[in-house]
Amino acid sequence: MVNRNHNLLSEKLFDRSKELFPGGVNSPVRFYEPYPIFIRSGKGINIFSVDGIKYIDFCLAYGPLILGHSPPEVKRKIVEQLERGWLFGAPTELEIKYAEILSKLTGMEMMRFTNSGTEATMHAIRLGRAYKKRKKIVKMRSGYHGSHDYVLVSPGSGATGIPSSPGIPDETSKNTLVAEFNNFNSLERIFKENGTEIALLITEPILGNIGVIPPEEGFIKFLREITERYDSLLIMDEVITGFRINYGTASQFYNIKPDLIILGKIVGGGLPFAIFGGDKEIMENIAPAGKVYQAGTFSGNPLSVAAGIATIKSLKERDYGIFNDYLDTLRKFVRDSIEDFSQEITMNGIGSMFQFFFNNSVKSVNDAIKSDTKKYFRFFKFLLNKNIYIPHSQFESLFLSFKHRKREVEKLGSALYEFFRENKDWK
Ligand SMILES: Cc1ncc(COP(=O)(O)O)c(C=O)c1O
């Protein structure tokens, strides 16, 4: 367990924090027992806690920081923009520059900049419903698209959504149908029963909010095919996957063209930013060109745009192939742990996103939720004591950056092995 004496300042800050913020945090995922470690600074692959402890970071702020913490080439552009001013409430040339770059790289003809992935998916769904003049939408169980009413649902009987938070009207959730990722039949059934009323299907191409679950062979193509068959839109939520597994979108990686794409995290270079976009024919329904309303005081703010451009430019010459090597290295430690200590552990990963599941094999959400979450949390605490920082929940993704080297990856792998060696009798 964490030596509490090492985290005295974090503990004290949390005591103050919980008086001011619900649960002591500004986003629920940041809380864990007994109190979260408070971070003072970050540089490269490291974060430094208020208690002066240095960690190797495999959480990377839940995804945006593919160049590590405060990369100089991004910082320089943010500072340059700071000198010119950081908010005008008027269009800037920088926005055009960025949209031109992203249009070339992702195939989106037209886009709208927002401040968060939550906003982007909310507005893309509104747009999709207006465009198709249909009410129902389909999402995957445990797929995450932000914290707004349309998508915060859990499956109910007959796969009709029920609100997964108090305060969400049943009337909203009943229009959200919930399918099973990697389950072709569940989608066939939902579309067969509701097809003519379904405006759109929204999904992550690789589930990243229930650990990491890549699509099975042919599944993404099938999503494209079934949405076309029922004349519904396909929205790919690439808030995590955009520029994470390749220099572009996962949709390109799987060789399909969605109707709308959502980008976030990496494309904002670590500042608040997201995008939804697609073909002009659909996007021109957004106000003021069209009637679908969407707006934001901070949308396309120059600091986020400057950070985004600098990040995407810096990623251009990078070799994403290096991550395959890193994941193979980790898989070897997983195999050794299984062989030497006969433990239940598996690893899913693609590109620079991965997760260890405390289970035998995870191909579906049903498999993922059977994982031993208590053991995972114990692993998280064990790693903190080894100065390694990962998300505290089994149902998040771990991330690599271009700043990580093989030696840090090996450190994580050998810590996993050690965890099992020390806990080999613990079932
Ligand atoms: C796939 C996906 N979509 C949307 C969101 C929401 O983005 P934000 O937290 O920027 O609102 C997230 C956040 O983690 C996400 O992972």
Side-chain angles (χ1 to χ4, degrees), residues 97-206:
K97 239 174 110 181
Y98 198 19
E100 283 170 349
I101 293 170
L102 289 171
S103 181
K104 258 199 205 117
L105 291 174
T106 66
M108 290 185 287
E109 281 179 0
M110 197 172 252
M111 61 200 83
R112 175 66 47 99
F113 293 166
T114 69
N115 306 292
S116 69
T118 297
E119 272 179 66
T121 64
M122 183 173 73
H123 292 125
I125 289 171
R126 181 181 299 155
L127 172 63
R129 281 177 158 152
Y131 181 74
K132 283 294 171 194
K133 299 188 176 62
R134 295 175 177 180
K135 274 192 199 170
K136 291 189 178 168
I137 67 170
V138 181
K139 74 175 284 284
M140 302 296 170
R141 181 155 67 107
S142 297
Y144 182 66
H145 307 290
S147 53
H148 59 84
D149 287 7
Y150 303 160
V151 286
L152 273 191
V153 300
S154 13
S157 60
T160 302
I162 50 172
S164 64
S165 161
I168 299 177
D170 295 343
E171 294 85 336
T172 304
S173 301
K174 78 172 196 297
N175 285 311
T176 302
L177 311 173
V178 182
E180 294 287 336
F181 194 77
N182 277 342
N183 183 328
F184 296 67
N185 289 339
S186 98
L187 282 146
E188 285 285 4
R189 200 182 56 247
I190 286 175
F191 272 90
K192 196 167 167 204
E193 285 167 10
N194 306 275
T196 55
E197 294 172 86
I198 295 174
L200 60 97
L201 161 66
I202 182 167
T203 185
E204 300 159 81
I206 299 158

